[in-house]
Amino acid sequence: MNVLVTGGAGYIGSHAVQRLLRDGHTVFVLDNLVRGHRKALRAIGLGTNDRLRFIEGEVTKPTAITRAFRQLPFDCVMHFAALAYVGESVDQPLRYYDANTTGLLRILQACEKFNVRRLVFSSSCSTYGDPPEGRIPVDEDCPQHPVSPYGRTKLAGEWLIRDFAESRRRAGKPFAYAFLRYFNVCGCDTTGLLGEDHEPETHLVPILLEVALGKRERVDIHGTDYPTPDGTCVRDYVHVEDLIDAHVLAMEKMRDGEGGAYNVGIGKGYSVRQIIESARRVTKHAIPSHEGPRRAGDAAMLYNNPEKIRRELGWSPKHTDLDEIIATAWRWFSANPNGYES
Ligand code: UDP
């Protein structure tokens, strides 16, 4: 297939590009390189593999999008380009709505104009907010009441896509889509080529590894008074390669005009303290921690019920051991202490 990957130079997007190339697809990347890295694309074949091409540009700008869509007749768009920090979204909601919602709107306008009929959309478990009692583990029918602007941009995106798909159905030009509601993505590709390198970094696992590398003094635990077993937030940590597996399965199994939402998480919840303990075991560093206040926009407890994605897409995670998942990230971080600039 010809696949347009927006945000393909970023952490998750680059892992998708690597996998799509490995599977024999032709990949076109559109990325603004604000949080992505040209070096990530070089590591997996930019300049040497003629099935990989790249345009630097904004998904919010019609000119950049039109340029990208003119390159090839795309069979599918994987839309990763987005801002993805819960805390930052509370302070900068307009920036988040612009990047995430306007960006998606522009992609859908181009899908209409260029008659592209398949989309895999990066949604989020944060669209569920704090699930009502009895709804954890979370399944796809859980009510969606996001508690952060980031989560709301992703929920708005889901509705935008549903409405667009309905209009295309009525026009006799069926549009198929999958919303993949990511839980907490972490780990790095097991061949060691690709990593996670964000500026600024706010995600827990990379922060812990930066403390282990001596690049930060300590990790701040954002809240110890949550109604969870040890008082810290509980999340479901899924390896990036398993997440990408879900994208590929969704793309391959998509049927004309049909749409579906799938949670992507392994089905186990770990607290912030458990993640810190795991990072200490894996890195063999002390990783000092400090108990701080809650971070705005965080839900207390979220982990997945993977039943639907197993049943309908045949997905099951290959990486289920927490230490092993974090070890894949540690391998890259310790080999590349300055990220892609190493
Ligand atoms: N977290 C933390 N300290 C940090 C970063 C994150 O305690 O320096 C917590 C955060 O409050 C959340 C969990 O770790 O409960 C996962 O946060 P992350 O930012 O990695 O992912 P998110 O859940 O926001 O997508």
Side-chain angles (χ1 to χ4, degrees):
M1 290 194 204
N2 294 328
V3 186
L4 175 64
V5 179
T6 72
Y11 164 51
I12 298 173
S14 60
H15 283 82
V17 172
Q18 180 187 47
R19 169 68 189 274
L20 290 167
L21 292 171
R22 207 184 281 155
D23 288 358
H25 301 296
T26 295
V27 182
F28 199 92
V29 171
L30 173 66
D31 196 297
N32 64 6
L33 299 183
V34 168
R35 286 185 179 161
H37 302 270
R38 195 186 294 269
K39 284 184 179 165
L41 293 175
R42 289 220 186 95
I44 52 175
L46 186 64
T48 52
N49 183 339
D50 57 13
R51 284 187 292 108
L52 173 59
R53 284 180 257 163
F54 170 61
I55 283 189
E56 184 175 340
E58 297 283 344
V59 280
T60 51
K61 300 262 161 61
T63 43
I65 304 247
T66 303
R67 251 179 83 211
F69 273 76
R70 281 216 179 104
Q71 303 294 319
L72 288 170
F74 290 109
D75 301 293
C76 183
V77 178
M78 288 193 184
H79 182 45
F80 295 97
L83 294 173
Y85 295 148
V86 167
E88 188 179 71
S89 78
V90 176
D91 295 324
Q92 302 176 32
L94 301 184
R95 187 173 167 218
Y96 269 68
Y97 276 95
D98 186 41
N100 296 2
T101 315
T102 311
L104 173 63
L105 177 78
R106 300 282 178 242
I107 291 290
L108 295 178
Q109 286 169 331
C111 286
E112 183 168 46
K113 184 165 164 200
F114 292 88
N115 199 24
V116 175
R117 292 174 171 227
R118 287 172 184 214
L119 175 76
V120 182
F121 175 61
S122 306
S123 186
S124 168
C125 68
S126 65
T127 59
Y128 296 115
D130 270 309
E133 263 200 55
R135 298 304 302 255
I136 295 172
V138 183
D139 61 37
E140 289 78 355
D141 296 329
C142 180
Q144 289 173 291
H145 298 295
V147 292
S148 69
Y150 168 67
R152 285 187 277 273
T153 65
K154 290 295 176 180
L155 184 56
E158 291 193 3
W159 280 105
L160 197 51
I161 294 165
R162 281 185 220 271
D163 288 339
F164 173 68
E166 174 60 15
S167 74
R168 298 300 278 165
R169 189 187 67 75
R170 287 165 171 270
K173 296 189 171 166
F175 183 79
Y177 62 85
F179 307 142
L180 298 183
R181 295 181 185 148
Y182 304 177
F183 282 68
N184 288 60
V185 186
C186 60
C188 295
D189 105 88
T190 38
T191 67
L193 289 176
L194 291 176
E196 179 169 15
D197 179 357
H198 292 121
E199 184 50 46
E201 185 55 80
T202 72
H203 287 133
L204 181 60
V205 172
I207 283 180
L208 293 172
L209 302 183
E210 288 181 6
V211 179
L213 285 171
K215 295 175 73 178
R216 292 176 189 253
E217 263 175 43
R218 63 175 200 207
V219 60
D220 288 317
I221 301 178
H222 297 326
T224 53
D225 60 346
Y226 283 98
T228 57
D230 69 15
T232 65
C233 292
V234 171
R235 295 284 183 280
D236 183 328
Y237 293 82
V238 56
H239 193 274
V240 63
E241 288 180 338
D242 285 324
L243 176 83
I244 299 308
D245 226 27
H247 286 72
V248 170
L249 288 167
M251 178 177 84
E252 288 174 354
K253 299 205 169 181
M254 221 173 242
R255 284 204 293 256
D256 280 356
E258 291 189 3
Y262 299 97
N263 288 345
V264 196
I266 68 174
K268 271 194 243 170
Y270 292 102
S271 71
V272 173
R273 290 191 208 278
Q274 286 175 308
I275 300 298
I276 295 173
E277 283 308 323
S278 171
R280 287 176 178 149
R281 282 193 299 273
V282 168
T283 63
K284 301 186 175 61
H285 285 269
I287 311 189
S289 65
H290 172 262
E291 299 190 355
R294 292 184 178 195
R295 181 176 75 178
D298 274 338
M301 167 136 33
L302 280 169
Y303 62 92
N304 185 29
N305 174 356
E307 181 46 38
K308 182 180 178 196
I309 189 166
R310 265 188 225 284
R311 195 179 57 242
E312 293 190 11
L313 298 185
W315 180 85
S316 69
K318 293 178 185 68
H319 304 272
T320 52
D321 180 86
L322 181 60
D323 287 10
E324 189 263 332
I325 291 175
I326 293 185
T328 65
W330 179 235
R331 176 178 171 193
W332 191 82
F333 275 78
S334 47
N336 301 275
N338 294 316
Y340 282 107
E341 295 311 313
S342 293

